């Protein structure tokens, strides 16, 4: 009898736990979702989430990983600038930022700590797309809205916000195919190893090059999306494997061009990111052979992720996977004051707005914020 009662208690407890887990997580519903111009579903078969509505103001955290480059620093500053906007600030009880570096377990631990501390939503730039399974499950069971952006999570149990990173690599690959007509030697400066962005961009580049029917000799180096690291890696590559007929860089592109100048390497076609300094170089040296495709997405992705988290907490229907537009400018269309800003820092990423989401920051708004954890 006692054994039977104990078994019944265990079964009932398990049932309650399973039931509460099911209730805590989002309901999968039919679209369309809220603000479809901003929260654009990734594909025709993207599912839609509806979380139980919570009363604000909310506690939202940003769990960042890698911080040691200008994109990530600007991203942190943009997050703080967005959270400080009056219409957003009134919806927030607390906004917390933590950057944990390249240590994946440390980032997972930070997310767990935010869940344990009762945060309503967590936005994350994930250091690894596949290592977060248990913490994704914990967030779902706790009713915490989890939104990944830029480096996203390989899951359908959290919201992902991103541009087509593989498509960006394909864009750069097509630029090289078109402007290096006979094939040749290419320098590929990659990002941070293990991240989804680096992997997807690399795949896109190589699928286009491999499918072009031309012969390519590709030298790969790691630049970590950072000007200083990319400049040194490029200088070493030029010294040991150069000269090159074309270059593609995932970031740190101002440093890559500077390494070419320092080594007196001829200017060649270049597919790169959206740094202000890179675009300055592209405009100044186009006639010398630096024919550029500059494309990517500004760090304001984080603002869209926060906006998505708030919309979900308010009970709005949102896509599980949201697709953002790329900011693209290609030779010969670089215009001062529009596509690059001669008087602004080289390290500032241009294209840092999403007008369909009502998100548009000036350099002053962003640079007035700090990069530190708070």
């Amino acid at each position: 009898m006692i054994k039977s009662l104990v078994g019944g208690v265990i079964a009932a407890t398990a049932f309650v736990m399973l039931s509460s887990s099911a209730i805590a997580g989002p309901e999968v519903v039919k679209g369309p979702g809220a603000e479809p111009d901003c929260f654009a579903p990734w594909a025709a078969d993207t599912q839609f989430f509806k979380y139980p509505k919570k009363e604000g103001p909310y506690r939202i955290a940003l769990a960042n990983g890698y911080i040691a480059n200008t994109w990530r620093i600007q991203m942190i500053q943009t997050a703080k600038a967005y959270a400080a906007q009056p219409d957003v600030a009134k919806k927030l009880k607390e906004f917390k930022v933590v950057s944990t570096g390249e240590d994946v377990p440390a980032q997972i631990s930070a997310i767990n700590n935010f869940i344990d501390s009762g945060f309503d939503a967590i936005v994350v730039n994930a250091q690894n797309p596949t290592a977060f399974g248990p913490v994704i499950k914990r967030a779902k069971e706790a009713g915490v809205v989890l939104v990944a952006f830029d480096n996203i999570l390989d899951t359908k149990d959290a919201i992902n916000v991103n541009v087509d990173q593989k498509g960006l690599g394909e864009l750069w690959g097509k630029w090289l195919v078109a402007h290096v007509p006979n094939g040749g030697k290419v320098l590929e400066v990659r990002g941070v190893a293990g991240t989804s962005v680096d992997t997807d961009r690399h795949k896109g580049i190589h699928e286009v090059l491999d499918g072009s029917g031309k012969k390519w000799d590709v030298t790969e180096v790691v630049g970590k999306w950072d000007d200083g690291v990319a400049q040194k890696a490029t200088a070493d590559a030029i010294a040991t494997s150069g000269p090159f007929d074309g270059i593609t860089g995932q970031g740190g592109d101002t440093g890559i061009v500077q390494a070419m100048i320092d080594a007196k390497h001829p200017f060649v076609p270049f597919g790169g990111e959206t740094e202000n300094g890179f675009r300055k170089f592209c405009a100044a040296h186009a006639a010398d052979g630096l024919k550029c495709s500059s494309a990517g997405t500004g760090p304001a992705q984080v603002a869209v992720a926060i906006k998505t988290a708030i919309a979900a907490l308010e009970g709005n229907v949102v896509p599980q996977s949201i697709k953002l537009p790329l900011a693209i400018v290609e030779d010969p269309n670089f215009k001062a004051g529009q596509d690059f800003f001669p008087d602004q820092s080289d390290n500032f990423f241009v294209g840092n707005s999403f007008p369909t989401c009502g998100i548009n920051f000036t350099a002053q708004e962003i640079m007035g914020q700090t990069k530190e954890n708070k």
Side-chain angles (χ1 to χ4, degrees), residues 55-62 79-80 82-84 88-98 113-123 306 309-310 313 373-374:
E55 295 301 320
Y58 306 114
R59 300 175 69 208
I60 296 180
L62 167 58
K80 293 179 179 180
Y82 183 70
V88 179
K90 68 183 182 183
K91 297 182 178 183
L92 299 178
K93 181 178 180 181
E94 181 180 2
F95 181 65
K96 183 81 173 177
V97 176
V98 169
N113 287 338
F114 286 133
I115 294 171
D116 292 339
S117 299
F119 276 76
D120 299 299
I122 304 166
V123 294
I306 297 168
I310 293 172
L313 288 169
N373 293 342
K374 60 165 263 188

Side-chain angles (χ1 to χ4, degrees), residues 181-212:
N182 298 317
K185 295 178 68 176
V186 170
L187 175 63
E188 180 190 1
V189 183
R190 298 189 61 172
V192 175
T195 59
S196 64
V197 168
D198 174 71
T199 300
D200 291 346
R201 292 179 176 186
H202 172 73
K203 285 180 180 177
I205 292 165
H206 282 265
E207 282 187 12
V208 170
L209 295 183
D210 294 345
S212 68

Side-chain angles (χ1 to χ4, degrees), residues 26-249:
E27 181 185 359
V28 177
V29 298
K30 292 184 178 180
E35 299 187 52
D37 289 341
C38 176
F39 306 134
W42 190 271
D45 61 351
T46 296
Q47 64 186 12
F48 289 80
F49 283 167
K50 183 175 175 61
Y51 286 82
K53 182 178 179 179
K54 285 189 177 182
E55 295 301 320
Y58 306 114
R59 300 175 69 208
I60 296 180
L62 167 58
N64 179 50
Y66 185 71
I67 186 65
N69 66 23
T70 54
W71 196 99
R72 290 297 181 100
I73 292 169
Q74 189 176 326
M75 181 270 290
I76 295 292
Q77 293 171 314
T78 303
K80 293 179 179 180
Y82 183 70
Q85 291 187 339
D87 287 348
V88 179
K90 68 183 182 183
K91 297 182 178 183
L92 299 178
K93 181 178 180 181
E94 181 180 2
F95 181 65
K96 183 81 173 177
V97 176
V98 169
S99 295
T100 51
E102 296 184 65
D103 187 338
V104 174
Q107 190 177 27
I108 293 172
S109 178
I111 297 171
N112 274 316
N113 287 338
F114 286 133
I115 294 171
D116 292 339
S117 299
F119 276 76
D120 299 299
I122 304 166
V123 294
V124 56
N125 196 328
Q127 200 60 31
N128 181 288
T130 60
F132 289 74
V135 78
I136 293 169
K137 184 174 183 290
R138 280 204 70 210
K140 183 178 179 180
E141 291 175 349
V144 176
V145 175
L146 186 62
V147 182
F149 68 98
D150 187 38
N151 288 289
I152 56 174
L153 297 168
D154 186 12
T155 182
K156 289 190 180 297
D157 287 328
I159 300 169
N160 283 321
V161 176
N162 207 0
V163 301
D164 185 354
Q165 301 288 359
K166 184 181 177 186
L168 181 54
E170 292 170 352
L171 179 79
W172 293 333
K174 290 174 183 176
W175 186 256
L176 294 179
V177 169
H179 290 81
V180 186
N182 298 317
K185 295 178 68 176
V186 170
L187 175 63
E188 180 190 1
V189 183
R190 298 189 61 172
V192 175
T195 59
S196 64
V197 168
D198 174 71
T199 300
D200 291 346
R201 292 179 176 186
H202 172 73
K203 285 180 180 177
I205 292 165
H206 282 265
E207 282 187 12
V208 170
L209 295 183
D210 294 345
S212 68
K214 302 176 182 180
K215 185 175 181 180
W216 303 96
D217 179 7
V218 180
T219 297
E220 295 180 26
V221 297
V222 175
K224 292 194 171 184
W225 306 316
D226 176 73
D227 281 334
V229 177
Q231 182 171 341
K232 184 180 186 306
T234 300
D236 291 345
I238 290 172
T240 57
S241 305
F244 298 100
D245 302 300
I247 294 176
T248 181

Side-chain angles (χ1 to χ4, degrees), residues 198-328:
D198 174 71
T199 300
D200 291 346
R201 292 179 176 186
H202 172 73
K203 285 180 180 177
I205 292 165
H206 282 265
E207 282 187 12
V208 170
L209 295 183
D210 294 345
S212 68
K214 302 176 182 180
K215 185 175 181 180
W216 303 96
D217 179 7
V218 180
T219 297
E220 295 180 26
V221 297
V222 175
K224 292 194 171 184
W225 306 316
D226 176 73
D227 281 334
V229 177
Q231 182 171 341
K232 184 180 186 306
T234 300
D236 291 345
I238 290 172
T240 57
S241 305
F244 298 100
D245 302 300
I247 294 176
T248 181
Q250 295 192 20
D253 301 323
T254 308
I256 296 171
V257 178
Q258 189 60 57
M260 296 169 66
I261 293 170
D262 293 344
K264 297 181 172 53
H265 188 287
F267 288 117
V268 295
F270 194 139
E273 251 280 359
T274 64
E275 300 103 316
N276 195 44
F278 174 55
R279 289 187 171 186
K280 288 181 189 179
F281 277 138
C282 292
H285 296 290
D288 305 320
L290 187 63
K291 302 295 185 182
C292 298
S293 172
S294 173
T297 179
Q301 271 194 67
V302 69
V304 182
I306 297 168
K307 181 180 175 74
T308 304
I310 293 172
L313 288 169
E314 291 177 334
N316 293 299
V317 174
V318 295
Q320 182 270 323
S321 185
I322 294 171
K323 188 173 187 178
L324 299 176
L326 288 169
I328 305 170

